[in-house]
Amino acid sequence: MFEKKYKNAMDRVIPNQEALDNAINNAISKPKSIKNPVKIVLIACLSVSLICTSVFAAFKLSENENPPANLTIPNATQNNNLDDSIDDTKDIASSLSEQGFKYAENYEEIYESLKNANNFFYDGTIGDAEVEEPMEDEYTAPGSTDESPAAPEFSNTNNQVLGVQEGDVVKTDGLYIYHLSKSQDKVCIISAKDGITNIVSEITLPSVNNSMFVFELLLIKNTLVIIGETNSYPNDTVCMYYDLTDRSKPVKADETTQSGDYKDCRVVDGLVYTISQKYSYVYSENDNEDYTYTDIIPEINGELIGCEDLLISDVLSNSFTVITAYDTANKEQKSSLALLGECGTIYCSTENIYLVSNSNIYANNEPYSENEISVYESSINSKILRVSLNQGDITANGAACINGSINNQFSLDEKNGLLRVAATLYPVTYTYNGDFSSAKHEDSYSKVYSLDAELKIIGESEPLGVTETIKSVRYLGDIAYVVTFRQTDPLYAIDLTNPESPKTLSELKIKGFSTYMQSYGPDYMLGIGYEATLEGATNGIKLTMFDISNPADIFDVSTESFLWYDGYGYIHTEALNNHKAVLIDHKKGIIGIPFATETPINTNDWYYEYKQAIEYKLFNFDGKELTVGKSIEIPLKDGAEYWYGNEMRSLYIGDYLYVVLDSGLVSINLSDYSIVDTENY
Amino acid sequence: MAKRLLRNRTETEEILLRHSDTVYKIAYLRTGNKHDAEDIMQEVFLRFVKYSPDFTNSEHEKAWFIRTTINRTNSFFTSAWKRRVVPLDEAIKTYDEMSYSEVLDAVMQLPKDISTAIHLYYYEDMTVKEISETMNKSESAIKSLLFRGRKLLKLSLEDTYR
């Protein structure tokens, strides 16, 4: 077995003892003084900002007990003198400059910033921000039939926001299924009628010759968008636009490229927004090197992005977040924007894209001094940049700084132009004495913030789940459901009807925790997550149906658990952290979730042999009990890797369910669960 | 700006020793020989002492070391020093005959991103999510790297694989 052999071989790769001892000794005894002039400047800036914030603190009269959530950048916020911060190359919204954003004046500025970033070198991120798939916060809307009047009702990708399409490996318009098979390096277009399927055409992808990775599809009327990434330096994100007028002969109509690894995409009103992340390394030891700007500045379709579309911030970074807008109606790239800054989480409403930074910035709140030792109460902050979609003319028009770190895209929600954000705070007190500081980490806790149209924080909930961290969030109307966890799972219902004073309506404590939640009709909410012991150790997977008809009194109606090492060796579902794997339709009474299992069959001292299987489960909920209605074992192709490369999805068209694996699909009659047809590629 | 934490010699040594194996293995995988791996390990240790970052937990601490090693091997490849023409005998990967392994050799022949993802997944037992955070790529990209890696390995290890 590969794993065993690789482990054995790697176990023998160890450093020579003498070399290791030398390396440690050299590191420890090297003088610690900072010679790099940039560091001296940074420390000077820190001292200056210390002085400014202490001066500010002295003048501040009214205090609430919560630490101010905005990163205190001296000068910009405290004087109401915005002229200081308006960049003369381009007008900029005041909240943007308050948060330290400005447009680049020239590429040289970018080069210097990248060099500083590399010298300073960020440590690893805390790692909370993660791109998750979005889901609607109302009932899953059946697909629209405006394109094909003859198509029966069908399910869409499980998008977070109604009207905002997300990418996925499977798409349907009720007549055809479009499936990206990563293992086969092709997209199959399959006709589907009454459960009978036929492969109508195939698009062979460039990934077949190992030059690309292909990730997902978008479907906009008669256009199929295939999104991938070249896998040799410099990595570019590629969008291929196919014309589907004749499904049996799809024709590539256009192709766009932008620098960077593919990050995410959205479609709103026929406009495709593609987001990528480009890393640029500039090393001061290479000062004699000839760096051309094409090495470091992002390109759109082969052309360097202009400074008027290039935002720089006061946070050092060696990566760019690049956004482009493509108009499928007029078949043209409409606008683009790049930010010198890493993006952790992306949330998109019908009006705006919000980019949330990775949380590695520390806020200086109210520092105070005792005997020349300064003490800072700090926490991790996340910066939020709002980019208005503007029908494809994307513009950065606001920024905010939130005390805390964001779990995933479901932590954000925009309603009536106001943004709500749920974050976990990690307060820490640093005692600063010259060069070094010692840290005292306090209990973590979470909050839900309301921000106004200018992205100023206007309301905060009370601290939630002290000592815990957020595991999942779902906004349904004006109620925010927040799950925090360390040992037990409090599920909070926070009322945001009055954004200026969020109110905790109820708190439900149960074992385990949900990593994903979706509404099931107006009265219920399904939580998918982990079972855990009373001590907080996870020991399986569970689905819980919550009664949310009265948010002031939420309770768990019924739970279906699948414990590890109890019947199953190990069971997993992609639904735990990918909402696109979940099919929920309250009106049709469908709850469909794919599971992957691993059962040991031949154990001895050395290793387990195990049987891998895929089971697709349809759950029933009658208002009282959540039960497995039907469990369908999906046959695996010989030797198929079932964990990855076999991203499972399901969708329905009329009365037929289609369970899609990477290497084929199966159609099932929903009335008797019989298998009607299969396709294997 | 991340704060630097005061650590005494014992604490620092302890932390460096804790992660020396992890760092060395990844450096070896990505540079292909033990001399460069030792150089990278030294660089990573120096950076740890210089920046002395604060960590919220042990996962964060390990992730820092892994990420720094990956970053240092990136700069290693693109620095002017490395780009100069290297004579053939210096460039040959040196293997200790006793520890030669077909499987390891096959992994080391893979593109760097792919071999790193494979190593983090199979050897460090990290989840796709953890690997995506460490390597700064989307989970989709990591899955592709793993899938592509397995496919390529299968080709080069036809008899020894499974």
Side-chain angles (χ1 to χ4, degrees), chain A residues 6 10-11 13 26 119 121 123 127 210 279 342 437 441, chain B residues 4 6 25 42 51 54 64 71 80 119 123 133 136-137 148:
Chain A
Y6 183 70
M10 255 303 170
D11 277 342
V13 173
N26 284 340
N119 286 333
F121 186 70
D123 59 331
N210 284 334
Y279 292 91
E342 206 165 31
S437 57
H441 292 267
Chain B
R4 295 169 67 200
L6 181 63
K25 288 178 194 333
Q42 173 76 91
Y51 296 110
D54 185 20
W64 187 92
N71 280 344
H119 178 82
Y123 192 85
E133 286 159 8
N136 260 310
K137 289 181 181 296
R148 186 73 49 184

PDB file of all heavy atoms in Angstrom, chain A residues 6 10-11 13 26 119 121 123 127 210 279 342 437 441, chain B residues 4 6 25 42 51 54 64 71 80 119 123 133 136-137 148:
ATOM      1  N   TYR A   6       5.257   4.845   1.751  1.00  0.00           N
ATOM      2  CA  TYR A   6       5.715   6.226   1.808  1.00  0.00           C
ATOM      3  C   TYR A   6       6.083   6.612   3.233  1.00  0.00           C
ATOM      4  O   TYR A   6       7.114   7.247   3.476  1.00  0.00           O
ATOM      5  CB  TYR A   6       4.641   7.163   1.255  1.00  0.00           C
ATOM      6  CG  TYR A   6       5.085   8.601   1.231  1.00  0.00           C
ATOM      7  CD1 TYR A   6       6.062   9.026   0.338  1.00  0.00           C
ATOM      8  CD2 TYR A   6       4.558   9.538   2.123  1.00  0.00           C
ATOM      9  CE1 TYR A   6       6.496  10.338   0.328  1.00  0.00           C
ATOM     10  CE2 TYR A   6       4.986  10.847   2.117  1.00  0.00           C
ATOM     11  CZ  TYR A   6       5.947  11.244   1.210  1.00  0.00           C
ATOM     12  OH  TYR A   6       6.383  12.547   1.206  1.00  0.00           O
ATOM     13  N   MET A  10       9.744   7.845   4.403  1.00  0.00           N
ATOM     14  CA  MET A  10       9.896   9.174   4.983  1.00  0.00           C
ATOM     15  C   MET A  10      10.371   9.118   6.430  1.00  0.00           C
ATOM     16  O   MET A  10      11.082  10.015   6.893  1.00  0.00           O
ATOM     17  CB  MET A  10       8.579   9.953   4.924  1.00  0.00           C
ATOM     18  CG  MET A  10       8.554  11.026   3.858  1.00  0.00           C
ATOM     19  SD  MET A  10       9.887  12.226   4.040  1.00  0.00           S
ATOM     20  CE  MET A  10       9.734  13.124   2.514  1.00  0.00           C
ATOM     21  N   ASP A  11      10.000   8.052   7.140  1.00  0.00           N
ATOM     22  CA  ASP A  11      10.472   7.899   8.520  1.00  0.00           C
ATOM     23  C   ASP A  11      11.993   7.889   8.556  1.00  0.00           C
ATOM     24  O   ASP A  11      12.609   8.305   9.541  1.00  0.00           O
ATOM     25  CB  ASP A  11       9.936   6.589   9.125  1.00  0.00           C
ATOM     26  CG  ASP A  11       8.526   6.761   9.658  1.00  0.00           C
ATOM     27  OD1 ASP A  11       8.113   7.915   9.872  1.00  0.00           O
ATOM     28  OD2 ASP A  11       7.842   5.735   9.868  1.00  0.00           O
ATOM     29  N   VAL A  13      13.951   9.549   6.606  1.00  0.00           N
ATOM     30  CA  VAL A  13      14.534  10.833   6.209  1.00  0.00           C
ATOM     31  C   VAL A  13      14.603  11.716   7.448  1.00  0.00           C
ATOM     32  O   VAL A  13      13.635  12.356   7.833  1.00  0.00           O
ATOM     33  CB  VAL A  13      13.666  11.500   5.114  1.00  0.00           C
ATOM     34  CG1 VAL A  13      14.161  12.912   4.814  1.00  0.00           C
ATOM     35  CG2 VAL A  13      13.669  10.661   3.858  1.00  0.00           C
ATOM     36  N   ASN A  26      23.055  27.777  16.147  1.00  0.00           N
ATOM     37  CA  ASN A  26      23.232  28.979  15.348  1.00  0.00           C
ATOM     38  C   ASN A  26      22.034  29.912  15.491  1.00  0.00           C
ATOM     39  O   ASN A  26      22.187  31.125  15.593  1.00  0.00           O
ATOM     40  CB  ASN A  26      23.405  28.630  13.866  1.00  0.00           C
ATOM     41  CG  ASN A  26      24.772  28.088  13.571  1.00  0.00           C
ATOM     42  OD1 ASN A  26      25.703  28.298  14.339  1.00  0.00           O
ATOM     43  ND2 ASN A  26      24.887  27.369  12.454  1.00  0.00           N
ATOM     44  N   ASN A 119      10.237  40.664   3.618  1.00  0.00           N
ATOM     45  CA  ASN A 119      11.165  40.821   4.729  1.00  0.00           C
ATOM     46  C   ASN A 119      10.495  40.579   6.062  1.00  0.00           C
ATOM     47  O   ASN A 119      11.031  39.961   6.957  1.00  0.00           O
ATOM     48  CB  ASN A 119      11.766  42.242   4.738  1.00  0.00           C
ATOM     49  CG  ASN A 119      12.788  42.411   3.645  1.00  0.00           C
ATOM     50  OD1 ASN A 119      13.401  41.457   3.219  1.00  0.00           O
ATOM     51  ND2 ASN A 119      12.954  43.635   3.201  1.00  0.00           N
ATOM     52  N   PHE A 121       7.660  39.013   6.644  1.00  0.00           N
ATOM     53  CA  PHE A 121       7.159  37.637   6.632  1.00  0.00           C
ATOM     54  C   PHE A 121       6.115  37.325   7.683  1.00  0.00           C
ATOM     55  O   PHE A 121       6.393  37.126   8.860  1.00  0.00           O
ATOM     56  CB  PHE A 121       8.301  36.632   6.768  1.00  0.00           C
ATOM     57  CG  PHE A 121       7.796  35.236   6.602  1.00  0.00           C
ATOM     58  CD1 PHE A 121       7.383  34.812   5.354  1.00  0.00           C
ATOM     59  CD2 PHE A 121       7.660  34.381   7.679  1.00  0.00           C
ATOM     60  CE1 PHE A 121       6.870  33.545   5.187  1.00  0.00           C
ATOM     61  CE2 PHE A 121       7.149  33.105   7.518  1.00  0.00           C
ATOM     62  CZ  PHE A 121       6.755  32.692   6.270  1.00  0.00           C
ATOM     63  N   ASP A 123       3.655  35.086   9.741  1.00  0.00           N
ATOM     64  CA  ASP A 123       3.539  33.706  10.182  1.00  0.00           C
ATOM     65  C   ASP A 123       2.272  33.134   9.604  1.00  0.00           C
ATOM     66  O   ASP A 123       1.506  33.832   8.969  1.00  0.00           O
ATOM     67  CB  ASP A 123       3.508  33.639  11.703  1.00  0.00           C
ATOM     68  CG  ASP A 123       2.346  34.425  12.259  1.00  0.00           C
ATOM     69  OD1 ASP A 123       1.932  35.404  11.625  1.00  0.00           O
ATOM     70  OD2 ASP A 123       1.851  34.045  13.316  1.00  0.00           O
ATOM     71  N   GLY A 127      -6.151  30.626  10.630  1.00  0.00           N
ATOM     72  CA  GLY A 127      -6.742  29.574   9.843  1.00  0.00           C
ATOM     73  C   GLY A 127      -8.223  29.370  10.021  1.00  0.00           C
ATOM     74  O   GLY A 127      -8.738  28.293   9.781  1.00  0.00           O
ATOM     75  N   ASN A 210      -2.398  17.298 -18.503  1.00  0.00           N
ATOM     76  CA  ASN A 210      -1.745  17.734 -17.264  1.00  0.00           C
ATOM     77  C   ASN A 210      -1.323  19.174 -17.223  1.00  0.00           C
ATOM     78  O   ASN A 210      -0.505  19.543 -16.396  1.00  0.00           O
ATOM     79  CB  ASN A 210      -0.500  16.866 -16.974  1.00  0.00           C
ATOM     80  CG  ASN A 210      -0.898  15.518 -16.447  1.00  0.00           C
ATOM     81  OD1 ASN A 210      -1.963  15.368 -15.870  1.00  0.00           O
ATOM     82  ND2 ASN A 210      -0.063  14.533 -16.639  1.00  0.00           N
ATOM     83  N   TYR A 279       0.306  35.135  -5.936  1.00  0.00           N
ATOM     84  CA  TYR A 279       1.408  35.367  -5.014  1.00  0.00           C
ATOM     85  C   TYR A 279       2.600  35.933  -5.751  1.00  0.00           C
ATOM     86  O   TYR A 279       2.937  35.469  -6.833  1.00  0.00           O
ATOM     87  CB  TYR A 279       1.802  34.069  -4.311  1.00  0.00           C
ATOM     88  CG  TYR A 279       0.708  33.618  -3.380  1.00  0.00           C
ATOM     89  CD1 TYR A 279      -0.285  32.755  -3.825  1.00  0.00           C
ATOM     90  CD2 TYR A 279       0.645  34.107  -2.083  1.00  0.00           C
ATOM     91  CE1 TYR A 279      -1.320  32.385  -2.987  1.00  0.00           C
ATOM     92  CE2 TYR A 279      -0.388  33.736  -1.241  1.00  0.00           C
ATOM     93  CZ  TYR A 279      -1.366  32.877  -1.688  1.00  0.00           C
ATOM     94  OH  TYR A 279      -2.386  32.520  -0.868  1.00  0.00           O
ATOM     95  N   GLU A 342      -4.313  39.341   0.987  1.00  0.00           N
ATOM     96  CA  GLU A 342      -4.851  37.993   0.878  1.00  0.00           C
ATOM     97  C   GLU A 342      -6.311  37.981   1.293  1.00  0.00           C
ATOM     98  O   GLU A 342      -6.712  38.705   2.194  1.00  0.00           O
ATOM     99  CB  GLU A 342      -4.072  37.100   1.830  1.00  0.00           C
ATOM    100  CG  GLU A 342      -4.037  35.661   1.444  1.00  0.00           C
ATOM    101  CD  GLU A 342      -2.957  34.941   2.229  1.00  0.00           C
ATOM    102  OE1 GLU A 342      -2.708  35.351   3.359  1.00  0.00           O
ATOM    103  OE2 GLU A 342      -2.392  33.994   1.696  1.00  0.00           O
ATOM    104  N   SER A 437       7.653  40.651  24.016  1.00  0.00           N
ATOM    105  CA  SER A 437       6.455  40.733  24.843  1.00  0.00           C
ATOM    106  C   SER A 437       6.106  39.332  25.310  1.00  0.00           C
ATOM    107  O   SER A 437       6.542  38.337  24.739  1.00  0.00           O
ATOM    108  CB  SER A 437       5.298  41.310  24.044  1.00  0.00           C
ATOM    109  OG  SER A 437       5.075  40.539  22.892  1.00  0.00           O
ATOM    110  N   HIS A 441      -3.282  34.646  26.928  1.00  0.00           N
ATOM    111  CA  HIS A 441      -4.471  34.436  26.108  1.00  0.00           C
ATOM    112  C   HIS A 441      -5.695  34.301  26.994  1.00  0.00           C
ATOM    113  O   HIS A 441      -5.730  33.470  27.895  1.00  0.00           O
ATOM    114  CB  HIS A 441      -4.303  33.182  25.239  1.00  0.00           C
ATOM    115  CG  HIS A 441      -3.251  33.354  24.187  1.00  0.00           C
ATOM    116  ND1 HIS A 441      -3.549  33.782  22.923  1.00  0.00           N
ATOM    117  CD2 HIS A 441      -1.909  33.163  24.221  1.00  0.00           C
ATOM    118  CE1 HIS A 441      -2.423  33.847  22.210  1.00  0.00           C
ATOM    119  NE2 HIS A 441      -1.422  33.486  22.981  1.00  0.00           N
TER     120      HIS A 441
ATOM    121  N   ARG B   4       6.118  39.825  18.894  1.00  0.00           N
ATOM    122  CA  ARG B   4       7.143  38.830  19.168  1.00  0.00           C
ATOM    123  C   ARG B   4       7.052  38.436  20.624  1.00  0.00           C
ATOM    124  O   ARG B   4       6.917  39.273  21.506  1.00  0.00           O
ATOM    125  CB  ARG B   4       8.505  39.413  18.854  1.00  0.00           C
ATOM    126  CG  ARG B   4       8.672  39.722  17.368  1.00  0.00           C
ATOM    127  CD  ARG B   4       9.894  40.526  17.114  1.00  0.00           C
ATOM    128  NE  ARG B   4      11.085  39.748  17.406  1.00  0.00           N
ATOM    129  CZ  ARG B   4      12.274  40.297  17.645  1.00  0.00           C
ATOM    130  NH1 ARG B   4      12.395  41.593  17.631  1.00  0.00           N
ATOM    131  NH2 ARG B   4      13.302  39.540  17.891  1.00  0.00           N
ATOM    132  N   LEU B   6       8.420  36.660  24.140  1.00  0.00           N
ATOM    133  CA  LEU B   6       9.663  36.406  24.855  1.00  0.00           C
ATOM    134  C   LEU B   6       9.762  34.923  25.192  1.00  0.00           C
ATOM    135  O   LEU B   6       8.887  34.369  25.841  1.00  0.00           O
ATOM    136  CB  LEU B   6       9.681  37.237  26.147  1.00  0.00           C
ATOM    137  CG  LEU B   6      10.929  37.100  27.012  1.00  0.00           C
ATOM    138  CD1 LEU B   6      12.136  37.605  26.258  1.00  0.00           C
ATOM    139  CD2 LEU B   6      10.756  37.890  28.294  1.00  0.00           C
ATOM    140  N   LYS B  25      11.921  17.057   6.671  1.00  0.00           N
ATOM    141  CA  LYS B  25      11.303  16.174   5.681  1.00  0.00           C
ATOM    142  C   LYS B  25      10.710  16.961   4.510  1.00  0.00           C
ATOM    143  O   LYS B  25      10.874  16.610   3.351  1.00  0.00           O
ATOM    144  CB  LYS B  25      10.228  15.298   6.320  1.00  0.00           C
ATOM    145  CG  LYS B  25      10.793  14.187   7.222  1.00  0.00           C
ATOM    146  CD  LYS B  25       9.658  13.397   7.868  1.00  0.00           C
ATOM    147  CE  LYS B  25       9.961  12.477   9.017  1.00  0.00           C
ATOM    148  NZ  LYS B  25      11.210  11.860   9.225  1.00  0.00           N
ATOM    149  N   GLN B  42      18.008  25.361   8.679  1.00  0.00           N
ATOM    150  CA  GLN B  42      18.705  26.440   9.384  1.00  0.00           C
ATOM    151  C   GLN B  42      17.961  27.758   9.197  1.00  0.00           C
ATOM    152  O   GLN B  42      17.748  28.506  10.143  1.00  0.00           O
ATOM    153  CB  GLN B  42      20.136  26.548   8.838  1.00  0.00           C
ATOM    154  CG  GLN B  42      20.922  27.736   9.368  1.00  0.00           C
ATOM    155  CD  GLN B  42      21.393  27.507  10.785  1.00  0.00           C
ATOM    156  OE1 GLN B  42      22.490  27.006  11.026  1.00  0.00           O
ATOM    157  NE2 GLN B  42      20.579  27.876  11.748  1.00  0.00           N
ATOM    158  N   TYR B  51      11.587  36.140  14.584  1.00  0.00           N
ATOM    159  CA  TYR B  51      10.236  36.685  14.665  1.00  0.00           C
ATOM    160  C   TYR B  51       9.485  36.224  15.899  1.00  0.00           C
ATOM    161  O   TYR B  51       8.503  36.835  16.293  1.00  0.00           O
ATOM    162  CB  TYR B  51       9.455  36.327  13.401  1.00  0.00           C
ATOM    163  CG  TYR B  51      10.058  36.976  12.183  1.00  0.00           C
ATOM    164  CD1 TYR B  51      10.708  36.226  11.215  1.00  0.00           C
ATOM    165  CD2 TYR B  51      10.009  38.355  12.028  1.00  0.00           C
ATOM    166  CE1 TYR B  51      11.288  36.828  10.119  1.00  0.00           C
ATOM    167  CE2 TYR B  51      10.586  38.958  10.933  1.00  0.00           C
ATOM    168  CZ  TYR B  51      11.232  38.198   9.978  1.00  0.00           C
ATOM    169  OH  TYR B  51      11.807  38.798   8.893  1.00  0.00           O
ATOM    170  N   ASP B  54       3.826  34.480  18.269  1.00  0.00           N
ATOM    171  CA  ASP B  54       2.947  33.913  19.285  1.00  0.00           C
ATOM    172  C   ASP B  54       1.955  32.986  18.595  1.00  0.00           C
ATOM    173  O   ASP B  54       1.515  33.257  17.488  1.00  0.00           O
ATOM    174  CB  ASP B  54       2.208  35.054  19.987  1.00  0.00           C
ATOM    175  CG  ASP B  54       1.359  34.552  21.137  1.00  0.00           C
ATOM    176  OD1 ASP B  54       1.620  33.431  21.629  1.00  0.00           O
ATOM    177  OD2 ASP B  54       0.425  35.261  21.522  1.00  0.00           O
ATOM    178  N   TRP B  64       2.783  26.988  11.292  1.00  0.00           N
ATOM    179  CA  TRP B  64       3.769  28.051  11.034  1.00  0.00           C
ATOM    180  C   TRP B  64       5.051  27.441  10.489  1.00  0.00           C
ATOM    181  O   TRP B  64       5.629  27.935   9.528  1.00  0.00           O
ATOM    182  CB  TRP B  64       4.060  28.822  12.319  1.00  0.00           C
ATOM    183  CG  TRP B  64       4.935  30.032  12.109  1.00  0.00           C
ATOM    184  CD1 TRP B  64       4.545  31.305  11.863  1.00  0.00           C
ATOM    185  CD2 TRP B  64       6.369  30.048  12.089  1.00  0.00           C
ATOM    186  NE1 TRP B  64       5.643  32.123  11.709  1.00  0.00           N
ATOM    187  CE2 TRP B  64       6.774  31.385  11.843  1.00  0.00           C
ATOM    188  CE3 TRP B  64       7.361  29.081  12.261  1.00  0.00           C
ATOM    189  CZ2 TRP B  64       8.119  31.767  11.764  1.00  0.00           C
ATOM    190  CZ3 TRP B  64       8.696  29.465  12.178  1.00  0.00           C
ATOM    191  CH2 TRP B  64       9.061  30.810  11.936  1.00  0.00           C
ATOM    192  N   ASN B  71       7.602  28.204   2.187  1.00  0.00           N
ATOM    193  CA  ASN B  71       7.986  29.520   1.673  1.00  0.00           C
ATOM    194  C   ASN B  71       9.479  29.623   1.441  1.00  0.00           C
ATOM    195  O   ASN B  71       9.920  30.164   0.432  1.00  0.00           O
ATOM    196  CB  ASN B  71       7.574  30.619   2.657  1.00  0.00           C
ATOM    197  CG  ASN B  71       6.110  30.952   2.521  1.00  0.00           C
ATOM    198  OD1 ASN B  71       5.479  30.602   1.541  1.00  0.00           O
ATOM    199  ND2 ASN B  71       5.564  31.608   3.517  1.00  0.00           N
ATOM    200  N   ALA B  80      18.548  34.306  -6.957  1.00  0.00           N
ATOM    201  CA  ALA B  80      19.577  34.365  -7.995  1.00  0.00           C
ATOM    202  C   ALA B  80      20.616  33.273  -7.806  1.00  0.00           C
ATOM    203  O   ALA B  80      21.105  32.676  -8.751  1.00  0.00           O
ATOM    204  CB  ALA B  80      20.244  35.735  -7.964  1.00  0.00           C
ATOM    205  N   HIS B 119       2.514  14.692   0.735  1.00  0.00           N
ATOM    206  CA  HIS B 119       3.232  14.487   1.990  1.00  0.00           C
ATOM    207  C   HIS B 119       2.382  14.918   3.173  1.00  0.00           C
ATOM    208  O   HIS B 119       2.274  14.201   4.168  1.00  0.00           O
ATOM    209  CB  HIS B 119       4.544  15.268   1.958  1.00  0.00           C
ATOM    210  CG  HIS B 119       5.340  15.156   3.219  1.00  0.00           C
ATOM    211  ND1 HIS B 119       6.160  14.081   3.495  1.00  0.00           N
ATOM    212  CD2 HIS B 119       5.429  15.974   4.302  1.00  0.00           C
ATOM    213  CE1 HIS B 119       6.728  14.254   4.685  1.00  0.00           C
ATOM    214  NE2 HIS B 119       6.298  15.390   5.194  1.00  0.00           N
ATOM    215  N   TYR B 123       1.576  11.666   5.123  1.00  0.00           N
ATOM    216  CA  TYR B 123       2.550  11.519   6.197  1.00  0.00           C
ATOM    217  C   TYR B 123       2.160  12.324   7.433  1.00  0.00           C
ATOM    218  O   TYR B 123       2.222  11.831   8.553  1.00  0.00           O
ATOM    219  CB  TYR B 123       3.945  11.946   5.727  1.00  0.00           C
ATOM    220  CG  TYR B 123       5.003  11.526   6.712  1.00  0.00           C
ATOM    221  CD1 TYR B 123       5.550  10.246   6.675  1.00  0.00           C
ATOM    222  CD2 TYR B 123       5.413  12.391   7.726  1.00  0.00           C
ATOM    223  CE1 TYR B 123       6.489   9.841   7.606  1.00  0.00           C
ATOM    224  CE2 TYR B 123       6.352  11.989   8.664  1.00  0.00           C
ATOM    225  CZ  TYR B 123       6.885  10.724   8.594  1.00  0.00           C
ATOM    226  OH  TYR B 123       7.808  10.321   9.535  1.00  0.00           O
ATOM    227  N   GLU B 133      -5.356  25.506   4.160  1.00  0.00           N
ATOM    228  CA  GLU B 133      -4.981  26.680   4.952  1.00  0.00           C
ATOM    229  C   GLU B 133      -3.472  26.842   4.996  1.00  0.00           C
ATOM    230  O   GLU B 133      -2.957  27.949   4.935  1.00  0.00           O
ATOM    231  CB  GLU B 133      -5.528  26.551   6.378  1.00  0.00           C
ATOM    232  CG  GLU B 133      -7.024  26.786   6.446  1.00  0.00           C
ATOM    233  CD  GLU B 133      -7.667  26.193   7.683  1.00  0.00           C
ATOM    234  OE1 GLU B 133      -6.933  25.719   8.574  1.00  0.00           O
ATOM    235  OE2 GLU B 133      -8.910  26.197   7.758  1.00  0.00           O
ATOM    236  N   ASN B 136      -2.241  27.794   1.445  1.00  0.00           N
ATOM    237  CA  ASN B 136      -2.897  28.973   0.879  1.00  0.00           C
ATOM    238  C   ASN B 136      -3.553  28.712  -0.464  1.00  0.00           C
ATOM    239  O   ASN B 136      -3.388  29.473  -1.414  1.00  0.00           O
ATOM    240  CB  ASN B 136      -1.878  30.094   0.672  1.00  0.00           C
ATOM    241  CG  ASN B 136      -1.969  31.090   1.779  1.00  0.00           C
ATOM    242  OD1 ASN B 136      -3.057  31.566   2.099  1.00  0.00           O
ATOM    243  ND2 ASN B 136      -0.860  31.380   2.376  1.00  0.00           N
ATOM    244  N   LYS B 137      -4.228  27.599  -0.552  1.00  0.00           N
ATOM    245  CA  LYS B 137      -4.955  27.304  -1.777  1.00  0.00           C
ATOM    246  C   LYS B 137      -6.361  26.873  -1.379  1.00  0.00           C
ATOM    247  O   LYS B 137      -6.597  26.511  -0.242  1.00  0.00           O
ATOM    248  CB  LYS B 137      -4.282  26.152  -2.532  1.00  0.00           C
ATOM    249  CG  LYS B 137      -2.948  26.520  -3.161  1.00  0.00           C
ATOM    250  CD  LYS B 137      -2.389  25.310  -3.888  1.00  0.00           C
ATOM    251  CE  LYS B 137      -1.048  25.605  -4.522  1.00  0.00           C
ATOM    252  NZ  LYS B 137      -1.115  26.617  -5.574  1.00  0.00           N
ATOM    253  N   ARG B 148      -4.392  14.469  -8.798  1.00  0.00           N
ATOM    254  CA  ARG B 148      -3.404  14.459  -9.876  1.00  0.00           C
ATOM    255  C   ARG B 148      -2.172  13.668  -9.424  1.00  0.00           C
ATOM    256  O   ARG B 148      -1.592  12.890 -10.176  1.00  0.00           O
ATOM    257  CB  ARG B 148      -3.014  15.903 -10.200  1.00  0.00           C
ATOM    258  CG  ARG B 148      -2.113  16.069 -11.376  1.00  0.00           C
ATOM    259  CD  ARG B 148      -2.791  15.836 -12.678  1.00  0.00           C
ATOM    260  NE  ARG B 148      -4.051  16.548 -12.810  1.00  0.00           N
ATOM    261  CZ  ARG B 148      -4.862  16.431 -13.860  1.00  0.00           C
ATOM    262  NH1 ARG B 148      -4.538  15.626 -14.839  1.00  0.00           N
ATOM    263  NH2 ARG B 148      -5.982  17.098 -13.911  1.00  0.00           N
TER     264      ARG B 148
END
